[in-house]
């Protein structure tokens, strides 16, 4: 569970940051001031008070957010969205102002708040921006220690030589070498009942048992092909105690902003290594990736 909380550190810090902004804003509003009109001198003496209040409340806020993420990991996105919404309400009185502009009674502010929250979710994690063809590159590198010798770790990554048996991803369903090129693989991953992701993997480097690198392409129409294209690399080295140091890097040429934001907040590659480590040790898997795997496998 502590690994899950650590992987969610960006989400926790983001929520905590907007919590501090909200406290800061409430402090000045309580003295009859609007945040935009506060004089710099008042900000200077107010900052120490804010800092002290933040230190006093940090433990409780972090505990609540961490508990929410650990108990309801599928609802983790409400952490950043809720704290942003609360700040906007306190700083700008957003819902009452919009309700007034629409000519609604004050009692409808709650409904306006809900619709603003839904709109914010649609823009960040929903499909509202997909039509604009705006994409971001994404890259991540993480290191883990596994209690297996490099030769065993190698087998779980080098699917060109060892196939899907014992692979690190339990969703790997089938691997078939291309008839004209043994370094090009047609790979199927399970996505649910009778649903699969088709991926072509072109092996760029395979040096047993230390390095395996491939470029992947999704089976999709050309306008969206960049969204499924990237590179994966693993480097394996002995740790001197019978185990292995594993360095994994993954890069996507282009990614929808909502997917990139999600992967960044989840520390996706680090979370994946936690899932691999839990499977290797036979321990309970608290990772977000493991949660998704179990859900898909239960439907497959």
């Amino acid at each position: 569970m502590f690994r899950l909380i650590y992987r969610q550190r960006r989400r926790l810090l983001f929520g905590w940051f907007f919590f501090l902004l909200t406290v800061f804003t409430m402090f000045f509003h309580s003295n009859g001031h609007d945040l935009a009109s506060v004089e710099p001198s008042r900000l200077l003496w107010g900052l120490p008070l804010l800092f002290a209040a933040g230190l006093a409340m940090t433990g409780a806020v972090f505990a609540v957010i961490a508990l929410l993420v650990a108990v309801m990991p599928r609802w983790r996105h409400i952490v950043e969205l809720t704290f942003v919404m609360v700040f906007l309400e306190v700083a700008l009185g957003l819902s009452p102002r919009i309700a007034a502009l629409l000519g609604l009674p004050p009692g409808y502010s709650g409904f306006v708040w809900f619709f603003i929250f839904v709109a914010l979710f649609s823009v960040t994690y929903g499909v509202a921006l997909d039509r604009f063809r705006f994409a971001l590159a994404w890259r991540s590198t993480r290191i883990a220690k596994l209690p297996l010798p490099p030769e065993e770790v190698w087998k779980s990554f080098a699917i060109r030589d060892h196939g899907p048996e014992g692979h690190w991803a339990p969703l790997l369903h089938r691997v078939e070498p291309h008839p004209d090129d043994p370094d090009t693989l047609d790979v199927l991953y399970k996505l649910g009942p009778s649903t699969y992701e088709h991926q072509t993997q072109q092996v760029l480097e395979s040096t047993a048992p230390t390095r395996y690198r491939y470029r992947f392409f999704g089976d999709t129409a050309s306008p969206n092909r960049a969204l499924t294209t990237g590179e994966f690399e693993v480097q394996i080295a002995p740790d001197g105690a019978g185990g292995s140091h594993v360095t994994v890097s993954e890069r996507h040429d282009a990614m929808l902003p909502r997917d990139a934001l999600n992967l960044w907040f989840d520390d996706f590659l680090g979370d994946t290594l936690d899932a691999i480590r839990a499977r290797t040790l036979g321990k309970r898997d608290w990772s977000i990736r493991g949660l998704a795997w179990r859900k898909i496998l239960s439907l497959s």
Side-chain angles (χ1 to χ4, degrees):
M1 183 174 66
F2 292 107
R3 285 184 177 272
L4 169 63
I5 295 173
Y6 172 72
R7 295 302 175 193
Q8 295 293 311
R9 64 192 181 280
R10 293 166 178 165
R11 178 169 276 115
L12 300 181
L13 289 171
F14 186 89
W16 178 71
F17 172 74
F18 274 93
F19 164 76
L20 287 182
L21 286 182
T22 303
V23 172
F24 182 68
T25 306
M26 292 176 66
F27 170 77
F28 283 101
H29 280 187
S30 66
N31 287 277
H33 293 283
D34 186 91
L35 185 62
S37 63
V38 176
E39 297 178 2
S41 60
R42 293 183 62 82
L43 288 176
L44 289 177
W45 68 259
L47 284 175
L49 281 176
L50 170 65
F51 183 73
L55 287 180
M57 298 180 182
T58 291
V61 171
F62 259 78
V64 171
I65 300 175
L67 182 63
L68 173 66
V69 171
V71 175
M72 298 186 297
R74 297 185 189 278
W75 292 83
R76 63 193 182 280
H77 305 97
I78 69 173
V79 171
E80 60 269 27
L81 298 180
T82 298
F83 277 100
V84 169
M85 282 296 299
V86 171
F87 169 71
L88 292 176
E89 285 297 295
V90 172
L92 304 175
L94 197 60
S95 295
R97 289 189 179 185
I98 292 179
L101 287 174
L102 295 176
L104 299 174
Y108 282 81
S109 296
F111 292 99
V112 175
W113 188 96
F114 173 77
F115 284 112
I116 295 174
F117 185 90
V118 171
L120 182 62
F121 182 88
S122 298
V123 170
T124 52
Y125 295 113
V127 299
L129 300 181
D130 288 1
R131 69 188 71 181
F132 296 106
R133 302 290 181 181
F134 176 65
L136 300 171
W138 178 83
R139 180 181 179 86
S140 180
T141 300
R142 290 293 180 268
I143 301 174
K145 182 178 179 180
L146 298 179
L148 295 175
E151 293 76 16
E152 292 299 316
V153 177
W154 172 260
K155 293 178 182 179
S156 66
F157 284 96
I159 61 173
R160 187 193 66 175
D161 303 323
H162 299 281
E165 206 57 43
H167 187 63
W168 63 268
L171 303 185
L172 182 61
H173 177 67
R174 190 177 68 203
V175 178
E176 292 183 353
H178 196 276
D180 301 325
D181 183 5
D183 286 335
T184 300
L185 311 174
D186 289 326
V187 183
L188 285 182
Y189 292 94
K190 297 177 182 177
L191 290 181
S194 300
T195 306
Y196 300 91
E197 176 190 0
H198 181 205
Q199 191 178 86
T200 299
Q201 297 182 2
Q202 182 181 9
V203 180
L204 303 176
E205 185 174 350
S206 180
T207 307
T210 58
R211 189 174 185 183
Y212 188 79
R213 182 168 64 98
Y214 64 86
R215 188 161 177 79
F216 54 84
F217 311 88
D219 183 15
T220 185
S222 56
N224 299 319
R225 189 173 179 81
L227 296 175
T228 64
T229 302
E231 191 171 303
F232 184 92
E233 179 181 352
V234 58
Q235 298 182 55
I236 308 166
D239 65 358
S244 302
H245 285 293
V246 181
T247 303
V248 176
S249 298
E250 186 171 347
R251 175 173 62 84
H252 287 253
D253 294 349
M255 183 173 286
L256 293 172
R258 58 183 171 89
D259 292 331
L261 183 64
N262 207 20
L263 267 56
W264 185 79
F265 269 128
D266 284 341
D267 189 5
F268 176 76
L269 200 56
D271 181 78
T272 299
L273 284 174
D274 289 343
I276 296 173
R277 180 181 175 82
R279 294 187 69 210
T280 301
L281 297 176
K283 294 184 176 181
R284 179 171 179 175
D285 185 2
W286 289 89
S287 69
I288 300 297
R289 190 73 184 269
L291 178 67
W293 285 346
R294 291 191 295 273
K295 180 62 176 180
I296 292 173
L297 291 173
S298 70
L299 298 174
S300 301

